[in-house]
mmCIF file of all heavy atoms in Angstrom:
data_model
loop_
_atom_site.group_PDB
_atom_site.id
_atom_site.type_symbol
_atom_site.label_atom_id
_atom_site.label_comp_id
_atom_site.label_asym_id
_atom_site.label_seq_id
_atom_site.Cartn_x
_atom_site.Cartn_y
_atom_site.Cartn_z
ATOM 1 N N LYS A 262 -23.192 -21.436 3.519
ATOM 2 C CA LYS A 262 -21.889 -20.965 4.007
ATOM 3 C C LYS A 262 -22.051 -20.326 5.394
ATOM 4 O O LYS A 262 -22.961 -19.542 5.626
ATOM 5 C CB LYS A 262 -21.330 -19.942 3.018
ATOM 6 C CG LYS A 262 -19.969 -19.419 3.393
ATOM 7 C CD LYS A 262 -19.292 -18.827 2.171
ATOM 8 C CE LYS A 262 -18.900 -17.376 2.405
ATOM 9 N NZ LYS A 262 -18.241 -16.795 1.247
ATOM 10 N N GLN A 263 -21.145 -20.697 6.286
ATOM 11 C CA GLN A 263 -21.231 -20.183 7.648
ATOM 12 C C GLN A 263 -20.026 -19.277 7.911
ATOM 13 O O GLN A 263 -18.940 -19.522 7.402
ATOM 14 C CB GLN A 263 -21.196 -21.374 8.612
ATOM 15 C CG GLN A 263 -21.600 -21.009 10.021
ATOM 16 C CD GLN A 263 -21.116 -22.025 11.038
ATOM 17 O OE1 GLN A 263 -20.443 -22.999 10.697
ATOM 18 N NE2 GLN A 263 -21.433 -21.784 12.295
ATOM 19 N N THR A 264 -20.253 -18.220 8.705
ATOM 20 C CA THR A 264 -19.139 -17.321 9.011
ATOM 21 C C THR A 264 -18.671 -17.564 10.441
ATOM 22 O O THR A 264 -19.478 -17.621 11.366
ATOM 23 C CB THR A 264 -19.579 -15.845 8.866
ATOM 24 O OG1 THR A 264 -20.113 -15.669 7.560
ATOM 25 C CG2 THR A 264 -18.399 -14.922 9.052
ATOM 26 N N VAL A 265 -17.374 -17.746 10.585
ATOM 27 C CA VAL A 265 -16.805 -17.925 11.921
ATOM 28 C C VAL A 265 -15.664 -16.931 12.102
ATOM 29 O O VAL A 265 -15.130 -16.390 11.150
ATOM 30 C CB VAL A 265 -16.270 -19.368 12.144
ATOM 31 C CG1 VAL A 265 -17.354 -20.405 11.923
ATOM 32 C CG2 VAL A 265 -15.076 -19.656 11.250
ATOM 33 N N GLY A 266 -15.332 -16.685 13.364
ATOM 34 C CA GLY A 266 -14.196 -15.802 13.650
ATOM 35 C C GLY A 266 -13.109 -16.611 14.312
ATOM 36 O O GLY A 266 -13.399 -17.564 15.056
ATOM 37 N N TRP A 267 -11.859 -16.290 14.014
ATOM 38 C CA TRP A 267 -10.755 -16.997 14.668
ATOM 39 C C TRP A 267 -10.447 -16.304 15.982
ATOM 40 O O TRP A 267 -10.237 -15.097 16.037
ATOM 41 C CB TRP A 267 -9.519 -16.985 13.769
ATOM 42 C CG TRP A 267 -8.289 -17.541 14.426
ATOM 43 C CD1 TRP A 267 -7.162 -16.858 14.784
ATOM 44 C CD2 TRP A 267 -8.060 -18.910 14.797
ATOM 45 N NE1 TRP A 267 -6.253 -17.718 15.355
ATOM 46 C CE2 TRP A 267 -6.778 -18.980 15.386
ATOM 47 C CE3 TRP A 267 -8.833 -20.086 14.713
ATOM 48 C CZ2 TRP A 267 -6.234 -20.173 15.866
ATOM 49 C CZ3 TRP A 267 -8.287 -21.269 15.190
ATOM 50 C CH2 TRP A 267 -7.003 -21.307 15.756
ATOM 51 N N ASN A 268 -10.471 -17.088 17.060
ATOM 52 C CA ASN A 268 -10.118 -16.551 18.360
ATOM 53 C C ASN A 268 -8.705 -16.986 18.694
ATOM 54 O O ASN A 268 -8.456 -18.150 18.977
ATOM 55 C CB ASN A 268 -11.123 -17.052 19.413
ATOM 56 C CG ASN A 268 -10.888 -16.397 20.760
ATOM 57 O OD1 ASN A 268 -9.747 -16.316 21.227
ATOM 58 N ND2 ASN A 268 -11.950 -15.947 21.379
ATOM 59 N N ASP A 269 -7.791 -16.036 18.644
ATOM 60 C CA ASP A 269 -6.382 -16.373 18.757
ATOM 61 C C ASP A 269 -6.013 -16.833 20.166
ATOM 62 O O ASP A 269 -5.166 -17.696 20.336
ATOM 63 C CB ASP A 269 -5.533 -15.171 18.349
ATOM 64 C CG ASP A 269 -4.242 -15.589 17.659
ATOM 65 O OD1 ASP A 269 -4.301 -16.538 16.850
ATOM 66 O OD2 ASP A 269 -3.196 -14.990 17.933
ATOM 67 N N SER A 270 -6.678 -16.272 21.180
ATOM 68 C CA SER A 270 -6.298 -16.659 22.543
ATOM 69 C C SER A 270 -6.809 -18.063 22.868
ATOM 70 O O SER A 270 -6.175 -18.820 23.585
ATOM 71 C CB SER A 270 -6.793 -15.638 23.557
ATOM 72 O OG SER A 270 -8.146 -15.348 23.327
ATOM 73 N N GLU A 271 -7.964 -18.415 22.313
ATOM 74 C CA GLU A 271 -8.482 -19.768 22.567
ATOM 75 C C GLU A 271 -8.064 -20.756 21.497
ATOM 76 O O GLU A 271 -8.333 -21.945 21.600
ATOM 77 C CB GLU A 271 -10.009 -19.735 22.670
ATOM 78 C CG GLU A 271 -10.511 -19.056 23.942
ATOM 79 C CD GLU A 271 -12.029 -19.044 24.000
ATOM 80 O OE1 GLU A 271 -12.654 -20.089 23.733
ATOM 81 O OE2 GLU A 271 -12.581 -17.963 24.292
ATOM 82 N N GLN A 272 -7.429 -20.248 20.429
ATOM 83 C CA GLN A 272 -6.958 -21.100 19.336
ATOM 84 C C GLN A 272 -8.078 -21.933 18.737
ATOM 85 O O GLN A 272 -7.937 -23.139 18.529
ATOM 86 C CB GLN A 272 -5.827 -22.020 19.824
ATOM 87 C CG GLN A 272 -4.575 -21.269 20.226
ATOM 88 C CD GLN A 272 -3.786 -20.784 19.006
ATOM 89 O OE1 GLN A 272 -3.409 -21.565 18.161
ATOM 90 N NE2 GLN A 272 -3.585 -19.484 18.914
ATOM 91 N N LYS A 273 -9.223 -21.267 18.527
ATOM 92 C CA LYS A 273 -10.291 -21.982 17.833
ATOM 93 C C LYS A 273 -11.191 -21.008 17.070
ATOM 94 O O LYS A 273 -11.163 -19.797 17.316
ATOM 95 C CB LYS A 273 -11.100 -22.818 18.815
ATOM 96 C CG LYS A 273 -11.797 -22.028 19.896
ATOM 97 C CD LYS A 273 -12.511 -23.021 20.806
ATOM 98 C CE LYS A 273 -13.523 -22.315 21.691
ATOM 99 N NZ LYS A 273 -14.279 -23.232 22.521
ATOM 100 N N THR A 274 -11.991 -21.556 16.165
ATOM 101 C CA THR A 274 -12.944 -20.721 15.448
ATOM 102 C C THR A 274 -14.257 -20.715 16.204
ATOM 103 O O THR A 274 -14.668 -21.722 16.787
ATOM 104 C CB THR A 274 -13.187 -21.234 14.008
ATOM 105 O OG1 THR A 274 -13.649 -22.584 14.072
ATOM 106 C CG2 THR A 274 -11.919 -21.181 13.179
ATOM 107 N N ILE A 275 -14.894 -19.543 16.195
ATOM 108 C CA ILE A 275 -16.149 -19.377 16.925
ATOM 109 C C ILE A 275 -17.201 -18.837 15.959
ATOM 110 O O ILE A 275 -16.964 -17.847 15.274
ATOM 111 C CB ILE A 275 -15.958 -18.402 18.111
ATOM 112 C CG1 ILE A 275 -15.032 -19.041 19.148
ATOM 113 C CG2 ILE A 275 -17.299 -18.032 18.725
ATOM 114 C CD1 ILE A 275 -14.474 -18.069 20.134
#
Side-chain angles (χ1 to χ4, degrees):
Chain A
K262 182 160 123 180
Q263 193 200 2
T264 305
V265 303
W267 173 248
N268 186 313
D269 214 40
S270 49
E271 289 180 46
Q272 295 284 303
K273 61 182 195 177
T274 58
I275 293 164

